[in-house]
Amino acid sequence: MMTIREKTKRTIERYNMLYSGETVLVGVSGGPDSMALLYLLMDIRNEYGIALKLAHLNHGFRKEAADEAEFVRKTAVSLGLPVIISSIDVPAIKETDGLSAQEAARKARYAFFAEAAEEAGASMVALAHTADDQAETVLMRLLRGSGPLGLSGIPPVRKISSQESGGRRQGPIIIRPLIECSRKEIEKYISERNIPFVTDSSNLKMDYMRNRVRMELLPFLEGYNPNIKETLVRTADVARRDNEFLDMEAESAYQSLIPHPSSFIPTDNSGITLDFKVLKKLPEAVSSRVIRKAIKAVKGDLKRVSFQHISDILSLMDYGEGKWSLHLPDVTVSREHDKLLLKRGEGRR
Amino acid sequence: MMTIREKTKRTIERYNMLYSGETVLVGVSGGPDSMALLYLLMDIRNEYGIALKLAHLNHGFRKEAADEAEFVRKTAVSLGLPVIISSIDVPAIKETDGLSAQEAARKARYAFFAEAAEEAGASMVALAHTADDQAETVLMRLLRGSGPLGLSGIPPVRKISSQESGGRRQGPIIIRPLIECSRKEIEKYISERNIPFVTDSSNLKMDYMRNRVRMELLPFLEGYNPNIKETLVRTADVARRDNEFLDMEAESAYQSLIPHPSSFIPTDNSGITLDFKVLKKLPEAVSSRVIRKAIKAVKGDLKRVSFQHISDILSLMDYGEGKWSLHLPDVTVSREHDKLLLKRGEGRR
């Protein structure tokens, strides 16, 4: 049996997460997962030549929030590490931006990590997502039908986009060193080392679907496959590998389909034109992703665009010479002669 | 709402299943699914310009089997269609070839369809798999952890390989016109049209896992997503699209890595040599599939080769200059200098 320390190191090496000389900002809620991450990184920091700083975001949702922030501050002091603590008013963001509580919290969290990383001179932000979180995510995506892209789950390493980081040119990289460790292994580590933590009740309340998957569906599936969590984590790995390659292929096809900035229609009639014949010659695995990229470029995001919409477009593309239009949420896709036009607005469904 | 007839036609057109002038051999067990398929194909045969013949395989497992064969024979007579009926002794194949009952039945079925198609002058064999079968298959593969490849489920159209057809050069094409219709729609059609059928009890006994997924897991998941079956069918579609492209890429990479037949080691030391550096430069989505192809070529199949094995090989490939060997079931994969060697035998796990 591998120890959790060995497993974490294996994950770090498998995904090239750490470089000597870097400062890593550790996102610490004060809960068991993030406290275990912090102690594990402390334990290996000399080996990897990294410096650690803590970051805590006070969500301001619950009255325990102030106590949690205080716990994280004291932890940092006792460990002799710098800490950045910030408060946000998620309900206010929710109100202003018309987002769900979860979307608002997510948006605030990423913007905070980007800002705190800049302030701390850290190029990396370590988060404490576990194999259990991964398995839950994969199942939730499968139930929702978000396709193979969704099945790739939580990425072990990813860049915070410039949009997510509030327009910063250079967003930090998110790393998840515990993504292959189970919650059970973490609990064992926490109790063996007597690591203090606060019980974070927010997880249990905020995401109803995730909790149902965790408490009810995963235990049920263990009746079919006792190693279902590991199985789902591996499925996510393979799906991610496939998607990265397919996305690379789609990106280069997309770039070649939009060779000049002039093929972008000006903003007042904001849209994109793709060469229909070239698009039709691509394998569907690639053309479907090129269409998603074009929709995202026109609409700003892919919200409410299902893979059924994309399949409908691919089916329509098979219809001889005729003209057609398809109304998606906030986007209209139409064929005119040898062009596929994507325009903002006019969405009907 | 689409009728089942319209839905079947949509599936036939979406996957280009039928060509005018062809003879289609319909696999008829006598159960509701295959009887619905038969009547639907009868209904549209003039529209598509196809001729129909029936094929029935008597599995010889159960005592009702003879009655079922007789039912199918009478059905063919009453409909004025030719029929080919054959018996096999699955338990005997199971014994001789050391296969599970399911593997033996499957092997016998495919060999029979290939033989019957040749005899009937049919280039296509229509089978009655439904959207329910598809959803069950996707879930079983997910539980087993067979990765995105497994998630593509039952193919709506596929060629019977020369191996499966008992060495025939030209195996028939399997088509599944009901793959997007639910069992519920089929039951409704059967009862509305008063189509006779026999209750096939073999399905219920032969595949314990599938039955558990059908009776217990799918209804449970409907509590999370009432349209879970449709969701899984669409997931399979998208996964299949992605896999077809990835497999094409891998096939061409594989061909270029084995440029001359001379790179195959003779049979007494049967193996394959791949250029290590070229292989390492491929994206993992492609190199993982190239390695699978090489293992299959050496071993004859991919049985007991998990995606963990493939991941282990990919991980080892990252280890500097060193020599290493990995023992898989019936295959040893090793690196020697700038070559990856795959040899039959010596498998230890």
Side-chain angles (χ1 to χ4, degrees):
Chain A
M1 258 321 261
M2 263 187 173
T3 63
I4 192 170
R5 189 178 182 278
E6 288 163 348
K7 220 175 185 181
T8 306
K9 284 178 64 179
R10 191 190 59 180
T11 304
I12 288 168
E13 275 149 35
R14 177 173 287 169
Y15 296 104
N16 295 310
M17 288 179 174
L18 297 178
Y19 298 90
S20 179
E22 298 285 344
T23 296
V24 177
L25 194 70
V26 190
V28 180
S29 70
D33 298 351
S34 64
M35 289 302 288
L37 174 64
L38 177 60
Y39 276 74
L40 281 160
L41 289 175
M42 296 263 300
D43 201 15
I44 62 176
R45 65 178 158 174
N46 291 331
E47 206 172 319
Y48 286 93
I50 52 167
L52 300 176
K53 295 186 181 176
L54 277 64
H56 176 83
L57 187 59
N58 182 337
H59 279 61
F61 256 133
R62 299 152 293 119
K63 56 176 179 341
E64 313 93 309
D67 298 340
E68 285 164 20
E70 183 54 20
F71 171 81
V72 173
R73 197 192 58 77
K74 282 187 178 159
T75 298
V77 170
S78 78
L79 297 173
L81 294 174
V83 60
I84 297 172
I85 295 180
S86 181
S87 293
I88 45 150
D89 187 350
V90 173
I93 299 177
K94 200 184 142 187
E95 200 68 27
T96 324
D97 297 4
L99 299 170
S100 75
Q102 278 174 58
E103 285 169 344
R106 186 192 147 86
K107 188 182 164 184
R109 212 157 44 229
Y110 279 88
F112 164 67
F113 286 136
E115 195 185 316
E118 193 175 61
E119 187 184 325
S123 54
M124 272 148 204
V125 175
L127 300 181
H129 294 94
T130 65
D132 286 65
D133 295 319
Q134 182 67 294
E136 291 157 12
T137 301
V138 171
L139 275 183
M140 285 165 63
R141 302 266 180 87
L142 184 82
L143 290 168
R144 213 187 289 145
S146 49
L149 183 63
L151 294 182
S152 39
I154 308 169
V157 173
R158 86 161 177 94
K159 199 145 180 59
I160 293 193
S161 71
S162 145
Q163 199 191 352
E164 287 168 322
S165 66
R168 280 176 184 74
R169 254 176 315 168
Q170 194 69 315
I173 289 165
I174 302 275
I175 60 172
R176 295 180 165 99
L178 297 185
I179 198 73
E180 295 174 305
C181 299
S182 70
R183 203 161 283 144
K184 237 180 222 158
E185 288 171 300
I186 288 163
E187 279 162 12
K188 187 165 161 271
Y189 176 74
I190 286 275
S191 98
E192 279 173 5
R193 298 265 182 139
N194 251 318
I195 296 171
F197 63 91
V198 288
T199 305
D200 178 358
S201 56
S202 71
N203 280 337
L204 296 176
K205 284 174 196 156
M206 274 199 19
D207 193 337
Y208 171 72
M209 181 63 164
R210 182 176 291 275
N211 282 311
R212 216 178 140 195
V213 165
R214 178 182 308 167
M215 308 292 191
E216 184 192 69
L217 181 54
L218 272 168
F220 188 81
L221 291 179
E222 276 168 352
Y224 287 81
N225 173 355
N227 299 316
I228 187 69
K229 283 179 200 163
E230 290 81 345
T231 299
L232 291 171
V233 169
R234 282 207 310 271
T235 300
D237 280 348
V238 181
R240 192 177 323 110
R241 197 154 75 194
D242 287 357
N243 272 305
E244 276 168 9
F245 174 67
L246 288 165
D247 193 61
M248 222 171 58
E249 292 287 304
E251 183 60 36
S252 87
Y254 181 63
Q255 293 300 337
S256 74
L257 273 161
I258 307 188
H260 311 293
S262 66
S263 56
F264 284 85
I265 299 167
T267 12
D268 55 332
N269 186 16
S270 162
I272 283 182
T273 306
L274 300 174
D275 185 312
F276 190 80
K277 282 181 185 163
V278 177
L279 192 61
K280 244 193 98 161
K281 268 185 206 144
L282 297 172
E284 289 193 347
V286 178
S287 59
S288 61
R289 284 170 168 83
V290 168
I291 293 167
R292 286 171 62 93
K293 281 176 190 291
I295 292 172
K296 193 176 173 190
V298 168
K299 179 180 178 324
D301 56 45
L302 286 164
K303 275 179 202 157
R304 295 183 296 131
V305 176
S306 68
F307 61 14
Q308 189 59 55
H309 289 134
I310 308 293
S311 285
D312 290 347
I313 296 172
L314 293 176
S315 295
L316 278 170
M317 283 175 58
D318 279 339
Y319 285 2
E321 289 296 311
K323 281 175 87 167
W324 51 261
S325 282
L326 193 64
H327 297 282
L328 269 58
D330 301 332
V331 176
T332 298
V333 182
S334 46
R335 179 187 174 180
E336 277 174 30
H337 307 293
D338 56 345
K339 297 283 175 213
L340 194 73
L341 306 173
L342 295 100
K343 285 192 186 174
R344 196 181 182 113
E346 303 170 46
R348 278 186 212 149
R349 58 168 201 174
Chain B
M1 255 328 256
M2 262 186 171
T3 64
I4 193 172
R5 188 177 183 277
E6 287 164 347
K7 219 175 185 181
T8 306
K9 283 178 63 180
R10 192 190 60 181
T11 304
I12 288 170
E13 274 149 36
R14 176 174 287 169
Y15 295 105
N16 294 311
M17 289 179 172
L18 296 178
Y19 298 91
S20 180
E22 297 286 344
T23 296
V24 177
L25 194 70
V26 190
V28 179
S29 70
D33 297 352
S34 63
M35 289 301 288
L37 174 64
L38 177 60
Y39 276 75
L40 280 161
L41 289 176
M42 295 264 298
D43 200 16
I44 61 175
R45 65 177 157 173
N46 291 332
E47 206 173 321
Y48 285 93
I50 53 167
L52 300 177
K53 295 186 181 176
L54 277 65
H56 177 83
L57 188 59
N58 183 337
H59 279 62
F61 257 134
R62 298 151 293 118
K63 58 178 180 338
E64 312 92 310
D67 299 338
E68 285 163 18
E70 182 54 19
F71 171 80
V72 172
R73 197 192 58 77
K74 281 187 179 160
T75 299
V77 169
S78 77
L79 297 174
L81 294 174
V83 61
I84 297 171
I85 295 179
S86 182
S87 293
I88 48 151
D89 187 351
V90 173
I93 299 178
K94 199 184 141 185
E95 202 69 26
T96 324
D97 297 4
L99 298 170
S100 74
Q102 279 174 58
E103 285 169 344
R106 186 192 147 86
K107 189 183 163 182
R109 214 157 43 227
Y110 278 89
F112 164 65
F113 286 135
E115 194 184 319
E118 193 175 60
E119 187 185 326
S123 53
M124 271 148 207
V125 175
L127 300 181
H129 294 93
T130 65
D132 286 66
D133 294 319
Q134 182 67 292
E136 290 156 14
T137 301
V138 171
L139 275 182
M140 285 164 65
R141 303 266 180 86
L142 184 82
L143 290 167
R144 213 187 291 145
S146 49
L149 184 63
L151 294 183
S152 43
I154 307 169
V157 173
R158 86 161 177 93
K159 197 144 182 61
I160 292 193
S161 72
S162 146
Q163 198 190 354
E164 287 167 322
S165 65
R168 280 176 185 76
R169 253 177 316 167
Q170 194 69 316
I173 289 165
I174 302 274
I175 60 172
R176 295 179 165 101
L178 297 185
I179 198 74
E180 294 175 306
C181 300
S182 71
R183 204 162 282 145
K184 238 181 223 158
E185 288 172 300
I186 287 164
E187 280 163 11
K188 187 166 160 272
Y189 175 74
I190 286 275
S191 98
E192 278 173 4
R193 297 263 183 141
N194 251 317
I195 297 171
F197 63 91
V198 289
T199 306
D200 178 358
S201 56
S202 71
N203 279 337
L204 297 175
K205 284 175 196 154
M206 276 202 11
D207 191 338
Y208 171 72
M209 181 63 163
R210 182 176 290 276
N211 283 311
R212 217 179 139 196
V213 166
R214 179 181 306 167
M215 308 291 191
E216 184 192 69
L217 181 53
L218 272 168
F220 188 80
L221 291 179
E222 276 169 350
Y224 286 81
N225 173 356
N227 300 314
I228 187 69
K229 284 180 200 163
E230 291 82 346
T231 300
L232 291 170
V233 170
R234 281 207 311 271
T235 300
D237 281 348
V238 181
R240 191 177 323 111
R241 199 154 73 193
D242 287 357
N243 272 305
E244 277 168 8
F245 174 66
L246 289 165
D247 193 62
M248 223 171 58
E249 292 288 304
E251 183 60 36
S252 86
Y254 182 63
Q255 292 301 337
S256 74
L257 273 160
I258 307 187
H260 312 294
S262 66
S263 55
F264 282 85
I265 298 167
T267 13
D268 57 332
N269 187 15
S270 161
I272 283 183
T273 306
L274 300 174
D275 184 313
F276 190 80
K277 281 180 187 165
V278 176
L279 192 61
K280 243 192 99 163
K281 270 187 204 141
L282 296 172
E284 289 193 346
V286 178
S287 60
S288 61
R289 284 171 170 81
V290 168
I291 292 167
R292 285 171 63 93
K293 280 175 191 292
I295 292 173
K296 193 177 173 187
V298 169
K299 179 182 177 325
D301 56 44
L302 286 164
K303 274 180 204 160
R304 295 183 297 131
V305 176
S306 67
F307 60 12
Q308 189 59 54
H309 289 133
I310 308 293
S311 285
D312 289 348
I313 297 172
L314 293 176
S315 295
L316 278 169
M317 284 176 57
D318 278 340
Y319 284 3
E321 290 296 311
K323 279 174 88 163
W324 51 261
S325 282
L326 193 64
H327 297 283
L328 269 56
D330 302 331
V331 176
T332 298
V333 181
S334 46
R335 178 187 174 179
E336 276 175 29
H337 307 293
D338 56 347
K339 298 280 175 214
L340 194 73
L341 305 173
L342 294 100
K343 284 193 187 173
R344 193 177 185 118
E346 302 171 47
R348 278 186 211 150
R349 56 165 204 177

